[in-house]
Amino acid sequence: METNQAKKHEEQIARANQATEEGSSRIKEERFRLRYHLMPRTGWMNDPNGLVYFKGSYHAFYQYYPYKPSWGPMHWGHAKSEDLVNWTHLPVALAPSEPYDQGSSGGYGCFSGSAVVNGDSLALLYTGHVSGNSPVEVQCLAVSTDDGITFAKSEANPVIPGPPEEGLFGFRDPKVWKHEDTWYMVIGSGQEGRGNVRLYASSDLHEWRYVSIAADSDGSQGDMWECPDLFPLGGGENHVLIVSPMNMGATKTMYVSGTFDYEAGKLTTTLAERLDYGFDFYAPQTLEDDQGRRILFGWMNIWGATMPEQQDGWMGAMTIPRELILQPDGSVRMLPVPELETLRGERYEVESQVIEAGTELALRGITSDAVEIIALFDADAATEFGLKLRCSADGSEYTEVGYRAADRTLYVNRDLAGLGDGGISEVQLTPQDGGLLKLHLFLDRSSLELFANDGEKTMTNRIYPQPDSLGASLFSRGGNAILRSFVSYELNAIQ
Ligand code: FRU
């Protein structure tokens, strides 16, 4: 017999699905709709949730509000893919419906969390957040009643009814994984101005035992760590923790690499670094696939930004999928997955040449708003060199990607990029062997993702140029720049 709980949830899901259909049929303006990124059909999207490889498919869930293109009571949107590139949208997976995840006002909903494959079934772990409740945040379980499309909330919810102690600043975003025969869960939290991560363990996903503070801020790394993700990378006891610290200045996402001791429940840190140096990269999450790859998607936006696409009835997107690779020094590289090569269309090549100081070389083969570019330069030849992208015909609008040799700084300048926020993203970057700088770029209608020196540093930014600003050029200032090679591909749309 169907319980009341199941019925209420089904009703909320049905409403949300209907809103998705109606909302998406109303979207007419395409100017910022991305061609090959996962984004909602309508309404609002934030964090990726429940990334998982299950029965031959990649599943991506996400924080979703189907009724308006602004944040509201959180649902979980859902899409699935066979190849990480082409996505099929699925019915809404979770909707607020219970006292632990539905309030009457203020912030509430099914907040961020994760998915795990439990035998033959898919299980979701998420935070029930209700502003007026005490505690405000509890951890909940929902289990698939079919092949990972429909989810029933557990009668045992909340499976973690509150934080392990009083006085915590936040207790949310459970990320679960299995090690040997035990399930482990990290939860984001903060205490006395320091972000930290709480570790729990379970044998059945229902009963959870508090273990430890798995990792803690050094005092300068934000006061609450949202969306923690702790996973093995690079073999042995090597692990990486990714967090999105609140109130850490320009650093929006950070990773800590080191070794994880499951007995003690502690991560010993070798290195802590910013994960991406752009403005629009937050709350990333990873999955491990059947090839053993660790694949990450981030939310390709940031809280507080101007979001011009809201006017068009939608908001939010995920980054392209990126594979994480641990380097011997403990740093992590992010590389676009090779599956993205299937999007490649027309190819355009520019011969190795000198770009004279003070000149620009037009890239006439670039005519689209969806392009992949791979360019190799001598890093030390000119004072400043790089590319101008999404240029208007009159030259007043463009986004500049450049490198300043004197202080070895890579930057993306979007001050003249169009609508939306301006600003310059910067990161220090030493040349590769042979004194080379390699820029690998993914341009989509309203985004620019830059992978420098084979993923050593990345920068993710949203840009909102006019649709007909499609020009591109190479430039050099203060000396001649040397282009070693250049190839670009027009990228096909996924839907
Ligand atoms: C991060 C976050 C999470 C929370 C969710 C709510 O962007 O604030 O901590 O679960 O968004 O939508």
Side-chain angles (χ1 to χ4, degrees), residues 91-146:
V92 169
L94 292 176
S97 62
E98 299 305 314
Y100 52 79
D101 60 23
Q102 184 174 39
S104 49
S105 63
Y108 67 86
C110 303
F111 273 23
S112 284
S114 50
V116 285
V117 178
N118 185 16
D120 210 26
S121 168
L122 200 58
L124 308 180
L125 281 303
Y126 70 97
T127 298
H129 176 113
V130 181
S131 284
N133 278 5
S134 175
V136 171
E137 294 181 325
V138 296
Q139 314 314 324
C140 307
L141 171 69
V143 177
S144 174
T145 54
D146 47 26

Side-chain angles (χ1 to χ4, degrees), residues 74-259:
M74 281 289 106
H75 297 58
W76 278 34
H78 186 191
K80 117 179 177 177
S81 170
E82 312 301 310
D83 60 2
L84 288 168
V85 177
N86 296 285
W87 294 91
T88 306
H89 287 280
L90 295 170
V92 169
L94 292 176
S97 62
E98 299 305 314
Y100 52 79
D101 60 23
Q102 184 174 39
S104 49
S105 63
Y108 67 86
C110 303
F111 273 23
S112 284
S114 50
V116 285
V117 178
N118 185 16
D120 210 26
S121 168
L122 200 58
L124 308 180
L125 281 303
Y126 70 97
T127 298
H129 176 113
V130 181
S131 284
N133 278 5
S134 175
V136 171
E137 294 181 325
V138 296
Q139 314 314 324
C140 307
L141 171 69
V143 177
S144 174
T145 54
D146 47 26
D147 264 347
I149 308 293
T150 315
F151 293 86
K153 293 178 186 175
S154 169
E155 296 286 337
N157 278 345
V159 291
I160 300 181
E165 56 189 287
E166 299 277 295
L168 302 191
F169 177 37
F171 182 61
R172 61 176 173 272
D173 311 335
K175 179 74 174 13
V176 180
W177 76 103
K178 199 174 202 175
H179 173 71
E180 294 173 352
D181 283 333
T182 304
W183 297 104
Y184 290 89
M185 176 194 284
V186 278
I187 301 178
S189 189
Q191 202 169 14
E192 289 162 11
R194 297 157 72 107
N196 66 35
V197 166
R198 302 285 174 157
L199 182 72
Y200 283 74
S202 172
S203 59
D204 60 4
L205 298 173
H206 284 81
E207 280 186 39
W208 291 91
R209 176 174 60 86
Y210 176 62
V211 180
S212 59
I213 295 181
D216 198 1
S217 155
D218 66 6
S220 68
Q221 295 162 330
D223 53 5
M224 151 72 195
W225 283 358
E226 294 192 308
C227 301
D229 189 355
L230 178 61
F231 49 87
L233 191 70
E237 292 176 359
N238 293 325
H239 278 65
V240 170
L241 170 70
I242 293 177
V243 292
S244 296
M246 289 169 65
N247 302 312
M248 195 185 164
T251 301
K252 304 299 178 199
T253 55
M254 184 181 87
Y255 70 87
V256 177
S257 68
T259 52

Side-chain angles (χ1 to χ4, degrees), residues 234-292:
E237 292 176 359
N238 293 325
H239 278 65
V240 170
L241 170 70
I242 293 177
V243 292
S244 296
M246 289 169 65
N247 302 312
M248 195 185 164
T251 301
K252 304 299 178 199
T253 55
M254 184 181 87
Y255 70 87
V256 177
S257 68
T259 52
F260 190 65
D261 177 342
Y262 281 86
E263 288 289 303
K266 289 259 176 278
L267 180 71
T268 304
T269 306
T270 317
L271 190 138
E273 255 224 55
R274 197 169 157 180
L275 185 57
D276 183 286
Y277 287 80
F279 291 110
D280 298 289
F281 183 84
Y282 198 69
Q285 193 183 84
T286 71
L287 64 88
E288 189 187 20
D289 76 356
D290 61 331
Q291 302 164 44

Side-chain angles (χ1 to χ4, degrees), residues 285-342:
Q285 193 183 84
T286 71
L287 64 88
E288 189 187 20
D289 76 356
D290 61 331
Q291 302 164 44
R293 294 183 300 176
R294 181 58 58 174
I295 291 160
L296 173 144
F297 289 84
W299 181 36
M300 196 160 62
N301 295 89
I302 194 68
W303 294 109
T306 307
M307 298 162 169
E309 67 270 51
Q310 283 179 309
Q311 290 172 11
D312 303 341
W314 67 283
M315 186 355 257
M318 296 210 194
T319 62
I320 53 171
R322 305 165 178 199
E323 184 178 354
L324 301 184
I325 311 282
L326 184 73
Q327 299 297 114
D329 67 355
S331 65
V332 172
R333 280 175 194 252
M334 283 201 277
L335 288 165
V337 298
E339 283 90 332
L340 291 159
E341 291 171 18
T342 58

